[in-house]
Amino acid sequence: MAGKPPASDPVQDAPEVSAPQHSAVGLPALTHALRISQQQMGVRRTALTLLRVNQQDGFDCPGCAWPEPDKPHTAEFCENGAKAVAEEATLRRVTPDFFAAHSVADLADRSGYWLGQQGRLTHPMYLAEGADHYVPVSWERAFDLVGEELTALDSPDEAVFYTSGRTSNEAAFLYQLFAREFGTNNLPDCSNMCHESSGSALTETLGIGKGSVLLEDLYQADLIIVAGQNPGTNHPRMLTALEKAKAGGAKIISINPLPEAGLERFKNPQTPRGLAGGGTALTDLFLQVRLGGDQALFRALNRLILNTDGALDEDFIRAHTHGFEEFAQAARADDDGDETLAATGLTREEIGRAGEMVLASRRTIVCWAMGLTQHKHSVPTIREVVNFLLLRGNIGRPGAGVCPVRGHSNVQGDRTMGIFERPAPAFLDALEREFGFAPPREHGLDVVRAIRALRDGQAKVFFAMGGNFVSATPDTDVTEAAMRRARLTVHVSTKLNRSHVITGARALILPTLGRTERDVRRGPDGKSAEQFVTVEDSMGMVHASRGRLEPASSHLLSETAIVARLARRVLGERSRTPWEEFAQDYAAIRDRIAQVVPGFEDFNTKVARPGGFALPHAPRDSRSFPTATGKANFTAAPVEYPAVPEGRLLLQTLRSHDQYNTTIYGLSDRYRGIKNGRRVVLVHPDDARERGLADGAYADLVSEWTDGSERRAAGFRVVHYPTARGCAAAYYPETNVLIPLDHTADTSNTPAAKSVVIRLESARGD
Ligand SMILES: Nc1nc2c(c(=O)[nH]1)N[C@H]1C(S)=C(S)[C@@H](COP(=O)(O)OP(=O)(O)OC[C@H]3O[C@@H](n4cnc5c(=O)[nH]c(N)nc54)[C@H](O)[C@@H]3O)O[C@H]1N2
Ligand SMILES: Nc1nc2c(c(=O)[nH]1)N[C@H]1C(S)=C(S)[C@@H](COP(=O)(O)OP(=O)(O)OC[C@H]3O[C@@H](n4cnc5c(=O)[nH]c(N)nc54)[C@H](O)[C@@H]3O)O[C@H]1N2
Ligand SMILES: [Mo]
């Protein structure tokens, strides 16, 4: 099904291709964002809403986790933030009439784009066993249905509680509390598919799985390395920070198989020069690495540092690190020659130039995203980045450090609140003390393991706090079949998506408020009070978010209220947690978070400060490292890189400029020169010609696996594109069908979505 375009979908995928661009943002971005916003919400609402994004009394942009500068311009402009807001603040509605008109089978035949374009969900909806259509249901009845199925399970571990990364701290804290009082640590989240490799690598080496830099550090850096990230599309406000860093004298190295327009040149729409003039060139050195070649590249740079007199920060290494000798020996022993060149696809001169810039910099930051985290050897790759920074003491001082750039706007906060299938014992101890119950101690299921448990009949209830599980996860056919085996699937959602129509025997859609909307809670005494929530950005800053718009429907409940009411229904009087109070007064939740989560002492007072507060980060604040050795750990892993058999290409699955993960805003990828279609595969012209594929030819993508199995995604237009040799790129989620469930990163178990061996099979285009 997912391997080919849906049969009855009215959306036509007919890609038109022109040359890729060499600069990002500027005037076209402004007009494009305004056009999409006005289509979804009209002129007046567009103006009202966009003015409130990331302002101190406004809401946190649901677009990404990049932090706000201290004093944002009025509406710090970001095209893709505007699109994310428009998607939520749209005036279109999916009502009970819509569900009466469309059977679930009809909806399962539509594209994700079409489903998302139908608008905001307005009523709780129920799909009974054997029924063809969802019908409206009261909240009470919906909670009863979930309660019935959860109570009928043989063990709490037969339930899975997924979280996407938009959920507020308050809702996330209640959600994990509910799951654990119910009796399970089955709390997979989108992070399992995203920065889990960063978390694994950083926790082991530095003692904390988060980035160590603040915005000010970027402005003070001499060198910023941006590896495996496309900020022009996915973190556009980062370009403003990079521009400011450059103005302060920083150099930038970009490491990427694709020349991404945003990293080449940025036209800041906040300045006249950016809007109409030439903008700022950002990248000083572009290293067009092969997919998966980063560990070899950083190892080569590390060897260079080790072999250069006076390049090491010996005092730092002696005082604060562990394992240096072993690492140095392994790195020096590595063959310095052809293997590095084969793995990276770079020349000796290019690596040498990077080395000079590294040695000339006293303060270095490395930023990265999915290009480093979604490979089989992602954890050792990120550990090698840590080795690189440790060698010159680039952790725990101004202008230096690790900067994993998070995706979803509160994905980092959700983890801080305890959304994790492998919680730390100290966290569970604190929950036990505060709430007087014994939390389960066995580790729960992550995303991939949850799919296996559903597939094998070991998990029977699937509950999702946001997200679009069946489209975001790998092995679409296997995952959809797994979901259909569930007894009950439940989605707390703002918008319709494919996960609502690939259901268990019974299914519920629970519609919820978005960030942009006013959240007024009415107590049993009839009094009502406006609530706000909090979020944590990619740099560990926590601040308030307040919606201003009228809710999309009067039937919506906040995520917090949904969890609190469900928890009482399921747990009954055996739970001593004051769920009713939590549902009305989020400050009461924050008081409890303050008791359980380190760094949140006096939470309600601190969050009232304009701009919020920074969470503690031991390596950044005091060069102390809460690891097993009490020091920052060097690690010496063998260098790996993907093996690509003769005649095959290595495919990465990535985002277009017009999508937010599985939410498709439109069919264009402006900076890459693609219009009006998503089924494209970007291939180096020489690789395409070797296969007899002209630009504009059509091909099937066929992935091949060691167990002899094949998976196919049919009918992609071949685009001759300046990517690294031997590499290809195509959009997700269409390509998830190619990735088997077992193809994951070592240690983190993240699906290796940037490392899929394929062959191209010529197909007829029509
Ligand atoms: N508008 C918009 N914003 C978003 C999102 C969105 O979908 N749309 N998603 C959000 C989320 S959840 C996330 S996680 C982030 C994702 O942000 P990104 O990580 O920027 O997203 P991708 O599109 O996956 O891009 C991966 C980038 O890494 C490069 N790359 C791939 N493989 C390799 C490799 O082996 N080595 C190197 N050096 N580079 C490589 C690709 O060419 C591409 O530039 O964005 C967040 N923000
Ligand atoms: N092949 C491949 N697969 C990937 C990736 C890749 O690069 N390649 N990237 C991975 C990454 S990094 C991530 S993070 C995952 C994303 O996985 P998810 O987070 O599960 O997916 P999204 O598409 O972000 O979820 C969109 C849905 O969230 C709901 N939603 C939006 N806002 C809210 C809200 O405020 N509250 C609630 N309750 N619901 C809301 C809407 O109904 C919308 O349809 O995908 C992963 N999958
Ligand atoms: Mo992500």
Side-chain angles (χ1 to χ4, degrees):
M1 166 70 244
K4 47 184 176 352
S8 70
D9 199 79
V11 177
Q12 290 300 318
D13 201 286
E16 296 157 29
V17 178
S18 54
Q21 300 185 5
H22 299 286
S23 68
V25 195
L27 198 55
L30 199 61
T31 42
H32 191 67
L34 286 176
R35 192 166 61 239
I36 290 204
S37 302
Q38 290 175 7
Q39 278 165 6
Q40 296 278 353
M41 51 183 178
V43 176
R44 203 181 109 77
R45 200 169 160 92
T46 296
L48 275 176
T49 316
L50 294 186
L51 281 175
R52 292 284 182 190
V53 190
N54 291 340
Q55 297 300 293
Q56 280 173 1
D57 62 342
F59 60 90
D60 180 64
C61 179
C64 75
W66 189 256
E68 283 78 60
D70 263 355
K71 293 185 197 64
H73 307 265
T74 305
E76 192 194 18
F77 175 74
C78 160
E79 175 190 3
N80 277 348
K83 288 193 252 173
V85 168
E87 190 72 22
E88 181 176 300
T90 179
L91 294 169
R92 301 176 190 163
R93 297 289 178 267
V94 171
T95 62
D97 286 348
F98 172 91
F99 287 104
H102 296 280
S103 69
V104 172
D106 166 15
L107 296 175
D109 216 18
R110 308 284 179 155
S111 68
Y113 178 40
W114 187 89
L115 293 175
Q117 287 296 307
Q118 304 311 304
R120 288 286 299 276
L121 297 156
T122 60
H123 288 67
M125 301 298 298
Y126 174 50
L127 182 70
E129 189 155 8
D132 303 326
H133 291 257
Y134 274 98
V135 294
V137 64
S138 70
W139 281 104
E140 279 316 312
R141 174 80 182 119
F143 294 138
D144 282 349
L145 285 162
V146 183
E148 251 170 50
E149 292 288 353
L150 285 178
T151 319
L153 295 176
D154 290 332
S155 144
D157 290 330
E158 291 180 347
V160 169
F161 296 94
Y162 174 69
T163 313
S164 171
R166 278 197 191 176
T167 297
S168 66
N169 289 333
E170 288 75 3
F173 186 77
L174 290 197
Y175 188 54
Q176 61 81 33
L177 180 62
F178 163 55
R180 293 190 167 114
E181 281 199 41
F182 177 65
T184 185
N185 281 317
N186 285 347
L187 286 157
D189 67 353
C190 68
S191 210
N192 295 148
M193 300 178 267
C194 186
H195 267 291
E196 196 69 63
S197 303
S198 308
S200 300
L202 295 177
T203 305
E204 185 191 343
T205 54
L206 301 179
I208 171 166
K210 300 182 183 182
S212 75
V213 304
L214 298 171
L215 266 184
E216 298 79 73
D217 291 308
L218 283 172
Y219 307 148
Q220 293 171 40
D222 296 328
L223 176 64
I224 301 171
I225 299 180
V226 183
Q229 201 198 338
N230 177 22
T233 286
N234 297 312
H235 304 91
R237 289 179 298 113
M238 179 175 173
L239 299 183
T240 314
L242 292 178
E243 186 184 44
K244 191 163 167 188
K246 284 223 80 163
K251 297 261 186 271
I252 296 177
I253 299 179
S254 301
I255 308 178
N256 204 309
L258 297 175
E260 303 282 29
L263 284 169
E264 288 181 64
R265 183 168 278 277
F266 172 48
K267 298 184 175 176
N268 189 342
Q270 240 91 237
T271 63
R273 202 173 108 77
L275 209 49
T280 310
L282 291 182
T283 294
D284 296 281
L285 177 66
F286 172 45
L287 298 177
Q288 188 162 35
V289 73
R290 287 217 170 115
L291 288 168
D294 303 85
Q295 189 198 6
L297 173 58
F298 278 98
R299 179 62 60 90
L301 293 173
N302 287 340
R303 204 165 28 241
L304 187 94
I305 297 171
L306 285 165
N307 293 336
T308 304
D309 281 344
L312 295 174
D313 185 339
E314 287 176 10
D315 294 342
F316 174 81
I317 292 172
R318 206 173 312 112
H320 296 292
T321 71
H322 174 269
F324 170 74
E325 282 307 331
E326 202 185 324
F327 167 69
Q329 240 172 41
R332 287 195 177 110
D334 274 349
D335 153 37
D336 193 11
D338 300 343
E339 182 129 44
T340 304
L341 304 186
T344 60
L346 300 170
T347 63
R348 252 179 252 286
E349 293 67 42
E350 287 171 313
I351 298 174
R353 242 175 302 156
E356 283 164 24
M357 290 169 72
V358 166
L359 293 173
S361 163
R362 285 180 304 117
R363 292 178 290 257
T364 301
I365 290 174
V366 183
C367 303
W368 71 89
M370 297 305 99
L372 291 206
T373 66
Q374 297 176 333
H375 289 279
K376 184 165 183 305
H377 61 309
S378 280
V379 176
T381 298
I382 297 163
R383 288 208 221 111
E384 197 64 28
V385 170
V386 173
N387 290 334
F388 169 77
L389 291 168
L390 292 179
L391 285 175
R392 288 173 56 77
N394 277 311
I395 298 275
R397 59 187 172 80
V402 284
C403 183
V405 182
R406 303 279 161 179
H408 265 302
S409 50
N410 198 39
V411 61
Q412 186 159 316
D414 291 345
R415 269 295 163 87
T416 308
M417 292 298 115
I419 303 288
F420 192 24
E421 76 283 355
R422 291 172 285 130
F427 179 83
L428 297 179
D429 295 342
L431 273 188
E432 182 158 3
R433 256 196 324 273
E434 183 63 21
F435 293 97
F437 73 103
R441 297 278 164 170
E442 320 73 64
H443 288 174
L445 301 168
D446 62 12
V447 161
V448 167
R449 292 186 178 97
I451 297 169
R452 281 196 203 113
L454 287 159
R455 178 194 67 190
D456 300 341
Q458 285 153 8
K460 300 188 174 114
V461 172
F462 176 85
F463 191 105
M465 183 55 70
N468 181 4
F469 192 83
V470 300
S471 296
T473 51
D475 225 350
T476 313
D477 296 335
V478 172
T479 298
E480 293 194 351
M483 205 50 83
R484 291 189 194 278
R485 284 200 69 185
R487 283 286 317 147
L488 173 71
T489 48
V490 188
H491 288 88
V492 178
S493 309
T494 51
K495 302 280 297 267
L496 191 63
N497 66 46
R498 188 159 176 84
S499 298
H500 302 131
V501 295
I502 306 299
T503 69
R506 305 161 105 184
L508 283 162
I509 300 175
L510 306 180
T512 193
L513 293 177
R515 287 271 172 82
T516 50
E517 290 162 322
R518 196 184 295 280
D519 186 355
V520 179
R521 299 294 308 147
R522 204 160 274 115
D525 54 2
K527 286 201 196 114
S528 57
E530 193 174 324
Q531 304 295 319
F532 67 88
V533 293
T534 61
V535 293
E536 174 186 342
D537 68 31
S538 195
M539 294 180 177
M541 299 290 300
V542 178
H543 62 88
S545 173
R546 281 185 187 80
R548 298 288 173 186
L549 296 178
E550 276 311 303
S553 137
S554 59
H555 303 279
L556 305 184
L557 284 182
S558 70
E559 292 179 344
T560 314
I562 292 173
V563 178
R565 288 178 59 178
L566 179 66
R568 178 59 81 207
R569 168 61 188 82
V570 172
L571 303 171
E573 295 313 311
R574 84 172 138 111
S575 173
R576 282 180 278 157
T577 301
W579 297 106
E580 290 75 12
E581 183 191 2
F582 288 168
Q584 308 313 332
D585 178 10
Y586 303 174
I589 308 172
R590 286 188 286 274
D591 282 340
R592 300 305 193 96
I593 294 172
Q595 298 295 321
V596 172
V597 189
F600 284 83
E601 300 78 17
D602 293 324
F603 191 4
N604 275 306
T605 317
K606 285 194 286 194
V607 82
R609 286 182 211 146
F613 62 98
L615 289 175
H617 187 288
R620 180 193 69 207
D621 302 338
S622 59
R623 286 193 156 178
S624 48
F625 299 91
T627 60
T629 60
K631 306 252 170 161
N633 291 317
F634 280 97
T635 47
V639 170
E640 295 171 61
Y641 59 99
V644 184
E646 191 57 32
R648 306 306 189 247
L649 295 171
L650 198 59
L651 174 79
Q652 62 158 323
T653 62
L654 80 179
R655 293 152 175 80
S656 83
H657 191 63
D658 265 2
Q659 77 182 82
Y660 193 92
N661 299 335
T662 70
T663 298
I664 310 303
Y665 302 137
L667 298 181
S668 297
D669 193 2
R670 194 170 70 246
Y671 300 148
R672 300 195 184 109
I674 317 283
K675 252 176 39 190
N676 208 28
R678 291 180 48 84
R679 293 184 86 82
V680 292
V681 58
L682 314 185
V683 187
H684 192 283
D686 295 342
D687 289 323
R689 281 187 209 109
E690 275 174 16
R691 288 161 182 76
L693 292 166
D695 184 272
Y698 275 74
D700 291 357
L701 315 184
V702 186
S703 70
E704 303 174 329
W705 303 97
T706 40
D707 64 359
S709 68
E710 287 192 352
R711 285 167 174 73
R712 180 179 301 262
F716 282 68
R717 184 203 188 278
V718 174
V719 179
H720 287 193
Y721 200 87
T723 180
R725 279 303 300 270
C727 301
Y731 305 131
Y732 115 91
E734 289 83 347
T735 44
N736 264 333
V737 70
L738 296 170
I739 311 173
L741 217 46
D742 299 335
H743 184 53
T744 60
D746 298 333
T747 311
S748 66
N749 209 26
T750 294
K754 300 286 191 272
S755 186
V756 185
V757 173
I758 57 161
R759 63 171 195 271
L760 295 176
E761 252 180 35
S762 192
R764 201 178 51 83
D766 47 8

